[in-house]
């Protein structure tokens, strides 16, 4: 099988599924397994890039679908440029990890619909971006997403719009997981679903193989 010069992985999943932890592990594996002086272009788009710019307008109720789509277009245009710039390379030359994007935007903040982001999905598929969906059990979401995150700003402030009590938040995250998995199933991206309740090392190995 020919090597892909552009290796982009979009990681989607609800809060508590372990997206950020997994991405951190993938970055460390990438560095460890790259030959000395052979680390190529690496881009990590955190939620500060993919979701954060929408937060202020979301909070004050002014966010529109057009603004959301414009934000997505900026990101996808960057990825398209990166892919085009290495297209003629004979080996992997550009590695990208993306912490949530258009699928999450359909449910949170939710001003865009799957139909409105279909073009975004198709553009990502066209450049070979792959989709990794992390699925977690109810117990894992409660442990990672509620208990371990009890003092985080996300849970104490932002997420309170989804429920005032922990039980309400947990129910919301489980509903969000089901909605996101349905969106992932309909995506045109090459995809893999990982149940991520087990050891991080095992999940990271499976994800790393899929990414590369």
């Amino acid at each position: 099988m020919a090597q892909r010069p552009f290796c982009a992985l979009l990681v989607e999943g609800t809060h508590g599924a372990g997206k950020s932890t997994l991405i951190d592990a993938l970055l460390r594996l990438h560095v460890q397994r790259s030959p000395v002086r052979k680390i190529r272009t690496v881009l990590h788009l955190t939620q500060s890039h993919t979701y954060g710019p929408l937060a202020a307008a979301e909070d004050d109720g002014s966010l529109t679908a057009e603004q959301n789509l414009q934000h997505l277009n900026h990101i996808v245009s960057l990825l398209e440029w990166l892919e085009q710039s290495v297209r003629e390379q004979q080996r992997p030359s550009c590695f990208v990890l993306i912490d949530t994007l258009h699928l999450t935007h359909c449910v949170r903040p939710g001003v865009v619909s799957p139909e409105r982001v279909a073009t975004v999905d198709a553009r990502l598929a066209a450049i070979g971006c792959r989709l990794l969906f992390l699925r977690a059990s109810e117990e894992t979401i409660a442990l990672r997403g509620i208990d371990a995150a009890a003092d985080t700003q996300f849970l104490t402030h932002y997420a309170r719009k989804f429920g005032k009590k922990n039980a309400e938040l947990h129910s919301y995250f489980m509903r969000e997981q089901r909605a996101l998995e349905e969106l992932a199933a309909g995506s045109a991206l090459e995809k893999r679903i990982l149940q991520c309740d087990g050891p991080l090392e095992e999940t990271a190995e499976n994800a790393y193989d899929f990414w590369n």
Side-chain angles (χ1 to χ4, degrees), residues 112-191:
V112 291
S113 65
E115 293 75 22
R116 294 294 299 274
V117 300
T119 300
V120 170
D121 193 77
R123 289 168 65 188
L124 290 170
I127 59 175
C129 182
R130 293 179 174 181
L131 169 62
L132 180 69
F133 183 80
L134 298 185
R135 182 202 292 137
S137 68
E138 292 188 14
E139 293 77 11
T140 296
I141 295 298
L143 179 63
R144 297 178 186 165
I146 305 295
D147 297 343
D151 296 326
T152 63
Q153 185 178 22
F154 175 82
L155 213 63
T156 58
H157 293 82
Y158 178 85
R160 289 300 162 179
K161 68 183 73 175
F162 308 131
K164 301 301 181 183
K165 298 180 180 179
N166 286 349
E168 295 171 338
L169 289 172
H170 184 260
S171 294
Y172 170 80
F173 294 137
M174 295 310 300
R175 292 195 305 273
E176 183 178 75
Q177 177 168 258
R178 290 191 290 272
L180 284 168
E181 187 166 1
E182 184 176 338
L183 290 170
S187 171
L189 276 65
E190 183 178 351
K191 63 184 75 70

Side-chain angles (χ1 to χ4, degrees), residues 23-33:
I23 288 174
D24 181 81
L26 291 175
L27 289 168
R28 295 179 188 279
L29 278 175
H30 179 69
V31 172
Q32 291 169 7
R33 297 180 181 182

Side-chain angles (χ1 to χ4, degrees), residues 45 49-50 70-80 101:
L45 294 178
H49 307 101
T50 62
Q70 184 180 45
H71 174 63
L72 286 169
N73 181 62
H74 287 325
I75 293 174
V76 178
S77 295
L78 169 63
L79 298 175
E80 288 172 331
L101 200 59

Side-chain angles (χ1 to χ4, degrees), residues 17-136:
K19 299 181 298 296
S20 298
T21 301
L22 175 63
I23 288 174
D24 181 81
L26 291 175
L27 289 168
R28 295 179 188 279
L29 278 175
H30 179 69
V31 172
Q32 291 169 7
R33 297 180 181 182
S34 296
V36 176
R37 301 182 64 184
K38 293 295 183 181
I39 294 180
R40 305 300 177 183
T41 301
V42 181
L43 175 65
H44 172 206
L45 294 178
T46 70
Q47 289 190 27
S48 295
H49 307 101
T50 62
Y51 191 86
L54 305 176
E58 177 190 3
D59 288 344
D60 67 23
S62 65
L63 182 66
T64 66
E66 287 68 29
Q67 289 172 319
N68 200 150
L69 291 169
Q70 184 180 45
H71 174 63
L72 286 169
N73 181 62
H74 287 325
I75 293 174
V76 178
S77 295
L78 169 63
L79 298 175
E80 288 172 331
W81 175 79
L82 286 170
E83 188 275 337
Q84 185 177 25
S85 68
V86 300
R87 189 174 295 173
E88 302 305 319
Q89 299 293 317
Q90 300 302 309
R91 58 184 175 180
S93 302
C94 184
F95 299 85
V96 181
L97 288 168
I98 310 162
D99 189 342
T100 71
L101 200 59
H102 61 304
L103 302 188
T104 289
H105 290 185
C106 288
V107 297
R108 195 198 324 153
V111 299
V112 291
S113 65
E115 293 75 22
R116 294 294 299 274
V117 300
T119 300
V120 170
D121 193 77
R123 289 168 65 188
L124 290 170
I127 59 175
C129 182
R130 293 179 174 181
L131 169 62
L132 180 69
F133 183 80
L134 298 185
R135 182 202 292 137

